[in-house]
Amino acid sequence: MKSQSTQRNLKSLLLNSEILAVVAILMALTFFLTTRGLPMVLTILVDFAVFAIITMSLNLETGFTGIPQFGRVLAVIAGAFAVGAIPGRLLAALMGLPAGLNYTIDTVQFQVSPELTAALSGSWMLSLLFLFICLVIAALSGAGIGWLTSRPAIRLREAYLGISLLAFGDFLMWVGHNWVPLVGGSTSVFVPDPFRIFGGARFEAVVIAIFLAALLVYAYLNRLTVSPFGRALKMVRDNEVSASAAGKDIVKIRTQSLVIGSMLAAIAGGLYVIYTGTVTAMGYSRLVWTFWPWAFMMLGGIGSTAGMLLGVMVLTIMRTLITVYRFEVFGFLMAWGINPLWLEFTLMGAVIIGVILFLPHGLVPEKVQSILPASRVNSILSKGFGAKLQ
Amino acid sequence: MAPWLATGLIYASALALAAGGITLLYMSTRTFNFAHASMATIGFYVIYTGSVLGGGTPYRYFPLAFLIGGLLGVICYYGLNRPLLKRRAVEITLMMSTLGYDLILLSVIQMYCDYLTFSRRLFPRRVSMSIYDFELLGVSAATIILPLVAIVFLTALHLFLVKTRFGVAMRATIENPVLAGASGINADRVYMLAWVIGGGMAALGGAAMSMAITGTPVLGMNSIPFMFAGAIFGGLHSLYGGILGGFVIGMTEYAGVFYLSQIFGPWVLGYRMGIPLLLMAATLLIFPRGLAGIPWAALVRNLFGKKGGIRV
């Protein structure tokens, strides 16, 4: 009897998609580490961390609150542009360098930016302070854009809201592309590098920092979603009428969810900008910063925070595989002059379709949580309510 | 004719076709078709390939563009939309599934461009289709032909919906699928036809649009917000509303940018996409369900003195 149940446990363990995915991820990472070395693995980790934060924030709004957030790029842009435009200017103004509207013009940039980074690489204090200010500015602008998007989100339903958010994400990108004082228009703005102080270990340091940030966000969201607030979010998602009947302020809850989610996404945008060191407006397309997080989220399992980590990791590794083996495996495409990198789009599309058709709940399906622990429910039942029934 | 008006007419006709397709698909299958983007781009590449390799004017290849768009629609219906509709998937899932299809089509388009560049020594990534155009009555032919194409196509569609048995069946299914099914109408075939017409309209729209703006592999990708804006502006509950919405959105962009740049200077050009979006946002804020709150179709009918009939 006992061996039978162990056997069943073992079987369910092997068939469990979460565990299989984790094992596959670990194998792939080891494989990359042995064949391509540490930098490859670190690149995967940093891609993973940035998109994990964005996908988790998307999941908070879409998976937990039921808002069709097709404008994720809005908040990412808010964070990225703010970090590109403001902290560098502040530092330049402090040092008496040009910090006005002309700060973002490329000739001024080439002159100012090395001086700023040199100043940062001289002092731990200044670097830390600068990083902190960057994150605060990103968070504030993200919260601001989240609040702004919450205004239509109260009135509009479903697809109408999704399309409006999508359109305004595009518009913000074009504003950045055309208005030079923001982030340099069609040229790039350099972001002073607070990690330069690590010298040769700069890359490792920035990867570890962003990875830790992703873990922090994960821990925070995990706590948030099992809190009364998290349950209120799900209540609004599942049935607005019953939520408002239970005394929940739907407008307030949707607004809070959008503000928190956008803040996190903006922080991810800011961190990404600090990691790459430049901001180019046209790099913030809806394809990469809205649709890919959606694909990650759907693979991971909408409504499960742990699933987001798995979804992002699995797809990041698959994308890296395409990049690494574009000549060895997909080289036959080169005969017609086709760049195998386009397969990345095919992969994303196929993953979205495959998940919708064959794995509708994702790798980690959302677990139905009872609001009270079973022991509490039993004790309540045995005391009053249950006694009457008997 | 002023240049902005000429280009604006072509662009607006293209948007009217595309937005009409989106509205038709939404009304019949509840699907917001993201794949409209790549279907439109494919329409453009059909007429581009035809004009470059086959010769002749681009207009010869418009029927082919329609057919290929329709074929892509059928593939989407049978491969993706039908199983999901049977499962009673929610709107967002239907929308996301077409996004997946769109990304696959986008990669196919990009690969096709690579192929044309490498194997055929062409430059398909920045194309100005107007160089294949000819002059008619003192203006470029597209200014006259494309609005005509749009009008003829939409009239044919209207006649099909009103005069033929299948068209009536289609309207009945859109109006009330359960009742239509009970009276023996095959909803499956109706949806398939909606995808044929919707996909074809997307491809036609993309082909027409490339006569007004630079054709790139992301032509549809960049203009899909406006197609959606047109459909939403029109209210999503009336095919004619969607067509009108697309036309208004397209014309507003060109007229608005022309007059604003006269007042504020040429820098306005960079923010042109803000104009239709503001129009859409304003409409949505006043009527959260789009212009469906206003009985557009009834207004138009009253305008022409027609009464009765089923609203499509």
Side-chain angles (χ1 to χ4, degrees):
Chain A
M1 189 73 190
K2 199 177 177 194
S3 72
Q4 210 176 11
S5 79
T6 344
Q7 213 172 21
R8 201 181 305 136
N9 278 345
L10 194 71
K11 206 171 170 187
S12 74
L13 195 73
L14 279 179
L15 287 176
N16 194 329
S17 49
E18 303 169 42
I19 306 217
L20 276 181
V22 170
V23 171
I25 287 169
L26 288 179
M27 275 166 62
L29 283 184
T30 334
F31 173 71
F32 278 126
L33 191 65
T34 48
T35 53
R36 304 269 159 174
L38 192 61
M40 186 91 227
V41 175
L42 289 179
T43 315
I44 293 178
L45 282 186
V46 76
D47 268 2
F48 159 75
V50 169
F51 278 103
I53 300 178
I54 294 171
T55 313
M56 283 189 286
S57 77
L58 179 66
N59 185 40
L60 178 72
E61 294 174 25
T62 305
F64 284 101
T65 325
I67 300 163
Q69 179 56 280
F70 278 105
R72 181 71 305 166
V73 65
L74 266 171
V76 178
I77 285 184
F81 285 9
V83 170
I86 302 170
R89 276 205 171 90
L90 289 178
L91 192 63
L94 269 179
M95 293 167 60
L97 293 165
L101 288 181
N102 60 352
Y103 169 75
T104 49
I105 297 168
D106 49 356
T107 47
V108 180
Q109 274 288 304
F110 280 116
Q111 176 202 342
V112 171
S113 165
E115 287 193 46
L116 295 181
T117 301
L120 283 184
S121 63
S123 147
W124 283 95
M125 240 342 246
L126 197 60
S127 288
L128 254 180
L129 191 68
F130 185 82
L131 181 64
F132 180 71
I133 288 175
C134 282
L135 292 182
V136 168
I137 286 173
L140 284 180
S141 61
I145 210 102
W147 188 83
L148 279 179
T149 49
S150 75
R151 297 301 95 190
I154 295 159
R155 289 192 59 131
L156 303 180
R157 293 294 107 189
E158 296 269 314
Y160 291 87
L161 175 63
I163 299 303
S164 310
L165 292 175
L166 179 141
F168 279 96
D170 273 31
F171 181 59
L172 205 55
M173 182 185 84
W174 285 104
V175 169
H177 183 65
N178 284 296
W179 193 40
V180 177
L182 190 59
V183 284
S186 53
T187 58
S188 306
V189 158
F190 295 102
V191 180
D193 187 1
F195 287 92
R196 186 66 60 193
I197 195 144
F198 288 94
R202 186 255 172 199
F203 181 56
E204 286 82 353
V206 81
V207 172
I208 290 169
I210 297 179
F211 194 74
L212 284 180
L215 289 186
L216 273 179
V217 170
Y218 173 68
Y220 166 68
L221 283 179
N222 246 351
R223 281 198 64 100
L224 187 76
T225 46
V226 296
S227 70
F229 176 67
R231 290 198 293 272
L233 292 182
K234 285 190 179 177
M235 207 169 170
V236 169
R237 175 195 67 184
D238 293 338
N239 193 333
E240 284 191 11
V241 178
S242 82
S244 62
K248 299 291 176 199
D249 184 349
I250 292 173
V251 170
K252 198 173 141 198
I253 286 173
R254 280 171 85 109
T255 309
Q256 282 171 335
S257 164
L258 274 166
V259 168
I260 296 174
S262 301
M263 203 164 86
L264 294 175
I267 289 176
L271 285 172
Y272 180 74
V273 161
I274 291 173
Y275 159 62
T276 54
T278 59
V279 193
T280 316
M282 286 307 268
Y284 293 88
S285 64
R286 87 178 99 95
L287 182 70
V288 177
W289 302 98
T290 299
F291 291 164
W292 287 3
W294 267 87
F296 299 150
M297 176 172 76
M298 298 184 83
L299 178 66
I302 296 176
S304 111
T305 313
M308 297 307 110
L309 298 185
L310 275 188
V312 177
M313 199 50 157
V314 167
L315 279 183
T316 309
I317 286 176
M318 283 164 91
R319 281 171 57 195
T320 317
L321 278 173
I322 289 181
T323 319
V324 170
Y325 289 104
R326 63 180 181 276
F327 299 123
E328 282 98 327
V329 179
F330 307 109
F332 63 93
L333 290 172
M334 301 291 284
W336 295 291
I338 295 170
N339 186 346
L341 283 182
W342 300 123
L343 287 173
E344 212 170 308
F345 291 27
T346 327
L347 169 76
M348 287 295 175
V351 163
I352 292 177
I353 290 177
V355 166
I356 288 178
L357 286 182
F358 306 114
L359 199 69
H361 300 290
L363 286 174
V364 187
E366 184 188 351
K367 288 182 186 70
V368 179
Q369 287 170 327
S370 52
I371 291 177
L372 294 171
S375 55
R376 275 287 303 281
V377 175
N378 283 335
S379 82
I380 292 171
L381 280 177
S382 65
K383 266 180 206 160
F385 184 67
K388 265 178 210 162
L389 277 180
Q390 284 159 7
Chain B
M1 210 184 311
W4 72 266
L5 188 60
T7 324
L9 264 179
I10 304 173
Y11 182 75
S13 314
L15 269 190
L17 283 168
I22 286 178
T23 314
L24 179 68
L25 285 175
Y26 182 75
M27 280 164 63
S28 50
T29 61
R30 291 185 296 120
T31 310
F32 249 114
N33 185 20
F34 268 117
H36 240 65
S38 292
M39 287 176 178
T41 317
I42 286 173
F44 151 59
Y45 276 111
V46 169
I47 65 162
Y48 170 73
T49 313
S51 318
V52 173
L53 299 180
T57 63
Y59 308 109
R60 281 172 55 185
Y61 302 98
F62 272 58
L64 184 65
F66 180 83
L67 286 181
I68 290 181
L71 182 70
L72 291 172
V74 170
I75 294 173
C76 186
Y77 177 63
Y78 280 113
L80 205 56
N81 202 247
R82 191 159 168 254
L84 290 177
L85 284 177
K86 282 206 168 147
R87 211 193 275 166
R88 294 172 196 282
V90 293
E91 247 177 57
I92 297 294
T93 310
L94 291 169
M95 197 161 151
M96 282 309 291
S97 68
T98 59
L99 175 66
Y101 187 54
D102 181 62
L103 289 182
I104 291 179
L105 289 184
L106 183 65
S107 71
V108 171
I109 292 167
Q110 296 280 16
M111 289 179 185
Y112 180 65
C113 283
D114 276 355
Y115 166 76
L116 284 185
T117 313
F118 180 79
S119 301
R120 298 277 176 168
R121 305 277 169 219
L122 296 171
F123 298 96
R125 288 182 186 277
R126 279 194 79 80
V127 182
S128 174
M129 280 306 289
S130 49
I131 57 167
Y132 299 102
D133 207 5
F134 55 93
E135 202 162 283
L136 198 72
L137 306 175
V139 289
S140 65
T143 320
I144 297 168
I145 293 179
L146 289 178
L148 270 182
V149 165
I151 290 170
V152 167
F153 179 80
L154 297 172
T155 315
L157 184 61
H158 173 77
L159 289 178
F160 166 73
L161 288 172
V162 177
K163 298 286 181 195
T164 64
R165 280 181 72 88
F166 204 88
V168 173
M170 196 162 178
R171 286 190 301 158
T173 311
I174 289 170
E175 199 85 348
N176 190 334
V178 179
L179 215 56
S183 55
I185 294 170
N186 187 350
D188 196 40
R189 270 207 265 157
V190 168
Y191 293 154
M192 189 207 70
L193 193 75
W195 273 97
V196 171
I197 299 175
M201 282 170 92
L204 269 188
M209 196 175 284
S210 70
M211 304 297 290
I213 59 177
T214 313
T216 63
V218 289
L219 171 90
M221 186 95 182
N222 285 344
S223 52
I224 188 110
F226 307 118
M227 301 179 193
F228 280 140
I232 285 182
F233 186 75
L236 285 178
H237 291 280
S238 145
L239 176 59
Y240 306 122
I243 291 161
L244 187 70
F247 193 83
V248 171
I249 289 278
M251 274 325 271
T252 328
E253 186 178 338
Y254 273 81
V257 108
F258 176 72
Y259 284 108
L260 287 179
S261 65
Q262 300 253 305
I263 301 168
F264 296 108
W267 62 268
V268 181
L269 284 169
Y271 303 93
R272 59 187 312 155
M273 80 171 282
I275 298 168
L277 291 187
L278 281 180
L279 187 67
M280 178 181 80
T283 318
L284 280 180
L285 286 179
I286 303 166
F287 312 104
R289 282 237 168 238
L291 288 186
I294 304 174
W296 267 114
L299 279 181
V300 173
R301 266 205 306 278
N302 289 343
L303 209 63
F304 295 109
K306 277 190 199 163
K307 297 269 189 275
I310 305 168
R311 194 157 59 100
V312 177

